[in-house]
Structures are given as structure tokens and as C-alpha cells.
Amino acid sequence: MVYTEYRLPHPNIPTISYGKNIKALTVLLSNNGLIAEGRLCDFFYDISNELITISDATIEKFNYQAAQNVNLEEIKQDLLNGEVLNVDETTSRCVERLEYGQAVPLAAVNSSFNAVVRTHSGATATLLTVNPYKDDEGIVRDGIVPLFCGILSHDHDKKYYKYGALHAACGAHLSRELRGLFELYHIEWAERFRRFYVGLNDYKCGSDVCVDLVLLEFELMYDALVCEGEVFLKSMRSRCFGFVELRRLLKRLRVFKDAYLLFIRDYRAPFTNNLAERDLRHCKTKQKVSGCFRSWRGLECYVRIRSFLSTETKRNHQLLPAVKTLFTKTPTPC
């Protein structure tokens, strides 16, 4: 029989226990203030007159505990009950990657992986998710977009067109493409179409509803400008600058006309997908500051906490008291 020796803690070494105030402030400064773990340790050390010495592992433990207690199901239901869902995605660097169906993440060797952070944004809720790839399997695993039956606003990502009842393509992206065709390739048609398209949004901002006669006039003008662009395309040489870009854009405007005009047909639909882009901006800022995540679990904790913080901000709640509640709840499964 093998005996194991258990040693009691030294009586002169005090047991350290952190309250929810320290935990909440640590989580808030780490995930919302983008303060690095080393600087955060120095911060508590300085303000406590050298009494509090929080380690990096303790900070990660606080983040994990807070992430476990985020009620994602309540956020999901808020999004699914909304009329409009804004979706967008970006990449983030991580030294680990968890493949679909795997329990143990892969570790990169002298490099890092690209992870896909996807946001599902509504007026009063935000849900960030992380997947290894930009594909349909990740969308299905997130469990939001396939269940949503309202207006889906996105940056004309074709994989989203199979979901949702109606689609609103981002007008800001279209406006930038048209401006690029005009400024880079001197295609005057692009500037005329851009002014017309932006003018539709100006009309929407100054009215409560687009009456049928005005809407019919807008749609006829849209078709006429697309036809004018197609005529201009035929006059261009196939190898000249801007030919391929203009051809692709005109085809998209013709095929996805309903998506690009939904914002003027249905005033619930937004002109841009900026709500989702704003919710993702913090992820890009964190990547610039930190470089990459050291573990897949750390990345998952970050997106869960950011979902909570963004949701609380949209609901006009104070963040510090809200984060404190995460340390008084029963943990929920990830």
C-alpha cells in the first residue's frame, strides 16, 4: 500500500481571500479597460500600499469565474425576440485552436492560429462567440442565426442568406465600394449611384414611412442606374482597370436588390451594420494591445465577459455593480 503525505499550510502564512469588490474591479479593468495582467498586478499593489499582490493566475481565475456565471441563455432569448439581428465577424489571434468536436485544443508551434469572433448584436443585447473557422458549422454551433426569424443585417456575407426571413445588406460598405470605384478608377457612374443611394437614407431619416409612390420612384431610379452602369460596362475594355470590380458590383446590385433596398422598404431595417461593427471594435483593440490570447479558454472567457459588459452597457446599467453580481451567482455551464 502506498501512503501519501499531506502537509498542512504553514501557520505563519496567512490565507488570502479576495472579496467580490476586488474580483469585480479586476475583471472590469482586464476586459473593459484593456489593462495587461502585469500592469493590473502593479496597480493593486500600488493602491493598497503594497498589501495586495495579485498574481497573473489569480486574475485568470477571476475572469474564468465571472465568465462561468454569465447567463448566455437570457442574452440569446433577448436577441431571438428582437426584430433585427446584426451579425458580423472578425479574426483574433490565439496560440491554441479548438477544432469542431474536439475536447482538447491544438497548440501552435512558434506561431498562432486565427480564431473567428462573431457578434450577434441587438438593441439591448450582444452575444459574442468564438469558432475556429468562418463557415456554416460555426454558425450552427452558435445557435442564434439559424433560429432567428426576423431581419438579418450583415455585410453581404453570402452564407447568411440561407437564414432569417429578410436581409439588409450594409449600405456603408456599398457606399465605400462606390467611392473607391470613382476615386481609383474614375468611374463617374459609381459616384452618381452613391449619391442616389445615400440620398435614400437621408430621405428615410427625415420621414416616418416611405409612401408607395415615392418608393416606386426610388426603385425605378435604382433599376435605371443599374442599367446605365451595365451599358457603361459594355463600353469598357475587359482588361482595363476597374472592369472586374464594376462587373461584380453590378451583378450584386441586380441579384441582391431586395437586400440593398430593404432599409427604405421597411424602416425597421438599418441602413448600415455599424451596430455589429461597434461591438467587435473592442476585440480588435484588444488584439492590438495584447497581440494574441495564450489559451483557447482565455479567449472563450473574454467573449463571454464582453457579451455581458456590452449587454449591460446597452441596457444603461452601471458596469461595476453588474460585474459584482457575477460573483454572487451559481456557476452556469459553458
Side-chain angles (χ1 to χ4, degrees), residues 86-326:
N86 297 264
V87 291
D88 200 2
E89 53 197 34
T90 188
T91 57
S92 184
R93 304 296 297 176
C94 184
V95 297
E96 293 182 341
R97 181 171 65 191
L98 185 62
E99 298 285 349
Y100 297 128
Q102 299 297 319
V104 180
L106 300 175
V109 179
N110 298 325
S111 181
S112 59
F113 295 111
N114 267 335
V116 179
V117 178
R118 181 176 294 111
T119 181
H120 311 77
S121 303
T124 57
T126 301
L127 177 63
L128 297 174
T129 59
V130 57
N131 290 284
Y133 306 107
K134 288 184 178 182
D135 55 6
D136 289 326
E137 189 170 353
I139 295 176
V140 174
R141 188 171 73 165
D142 293 340
I144 299 296
V145 176
L147 301 177
F148 185 69
C149 300
I151 299 174
L152 201 59
S153 176
H154 52 87
D155 299 339
H156 186 68
D157 194 331
K158 289 187 177 180
K159 64 176 177 287
Y160 289 118
Y161 280 103
K162 64 184 71 173
Y163 308 106
L166 297 171
H167 295 270
C170 180
H173 279 73
L174 176 61
S175 179
R176 286 195 292 267
E177 288 184 70
L178 292 167
R179 184 183 294 274
L181 287 175
F182 174 69
E183 294 180 351
L184 297 177
Y185 306 116
H186 306 290
I187 300 176
E188 295 183 358
W189 170 87
E191 179 62 15
R192 291 200 302 274
F193 192 93
R194 189 191 69 82
R195 291 180 179 177
F196 158 74
Y197 194 71
V198 174
L200 296 182
N201 188 49
D202 294 337
Y203 175 86
K204 176 182 177 179
C205 295
S207 62
D208 297 328
V209 66
C210 187
V211 297
D212 294 340
L213 289 179
V214 176
L215 179 60
L216 178 60
E217 181 180 354
F218 286 156
E219 296 200 11
L220 292 176
M221 192 175 302
Y222 179 98
D223 294 335
L225 284 171
V226 172
C227 291
E228 182 181 338
E230 292 171 344
V231 172
F232 178 78
L233 180 67
K234 293 180 181 179
S235 66
M236 298 176 63
R237 297 192 304 271
S238 59
R239 294 186 178 182
C240 68
F241 293 111
F243 178 85
V244 176
E245 291 80 359
L246 179 59
R247 182 185 63 186
R248 292 174 179 172
L249 179 60
L250 287 170
K251 181 180 179 181
R252 187 168 8 119
L253 291 175
R254 177 72 70 182
V255 175
F256 296 95
K257 172 185 175 181
D258 293 338
Y260 281 111
L261 288 182
L262 183 63
F263 77 96
I264 195 67
R265 294 174 177 174
D266 189 340
Y267 274 29
R268 296 175 303 168
F271 176 70
T272 70
N273 194 31
N274 285 345
L275 179 61
E277 293 180 356
R278 288 196 299 269
D279 290 336
L280 281 179
R281 194 167 297 150
H282 192 277
C283 301
K284 302 305 293 184
T285 305
K286 182 173 179 60
Q287 181 172 322
K288 293 178 182 179
V289 174
S290 304
C292 68
F293 288 89
R294 292 179 293 179
S295 68
W296 188 266
R297 193 181 83 162
L299 178 54
E300 288 182 331
C301 290
Y302 168 75
V303 297
R304 289 173 69 98
I305 295 173
R306 278 304 307 168
S307 300
F308 175 79
L309 294 177
S310 179
T311 298
E312 293 299 306
T313 300
K314 290 180 178 180
R315 296 174 181 178
N316 296 321
H317 295 165
Q318 294 184 357
L319 292 183
L320 186 58
V323 177
K324 289 181 183 180
T325 63
L326 296 179

Side-chain angles (χ1 to χ4, degrees), residues 14-29:
T15 301
I16 300 176
S17 178
Y18 296 101
K20 64 180 180 180
N21 292 330
I22 293 293
K23 293 180 179 180
L25 185 58
T26 302
V27 170
L28 187 60
L29 293 177

Side-chain angles (χ1 to χ4, degrees), residues 53-64:
T53 55
I54 299 179
S55 64
D56 294 355
T58 302
I59 295 176
E60 294 174 4
K61 179 181 178 181
F62 292 166
N63 285 329
Y64 181 73

Side-chain angles (χ1 to χ4, degrees), residues 17-80:
S17 178
Y18 296 101
K20 64 180 180 180
N21 292 330
I22 293 293
K23 293 180 179 180
L25 185 58
T26 302
V27 170
L28 187 60
L29 293 177
S30 175
N31 294 275
N32 198 62
L34 295 176
I35 300 180
E37 292 179 354
R39 293 173 55 197
L40 196 54
C41 297
D42 296 337
F43 168 76
F44 283 108
Y45 185 75
D46 293 336
I47 67 171
S48 65
N49 196 21
E50 304 180 1
L51 293 177
I52 300 177
T53 55
I54 299 179
S55 64
D56 294 355
T58 302
I59 295 176
E60 294 174 4
K61 179 181 178 181
F62 292 166
N63 285 329
Y64 181 73
Q65 183 180 353
Q68 289 284 93
N69 292 340
V70 174
N71 188 355
L72 294 184
E73 290 302 320
E74 189 274 331
I75 296 177
K76 288 182 180 180
Q77 289 304 316
D78 188 302
L79 294 171
L80 292 176

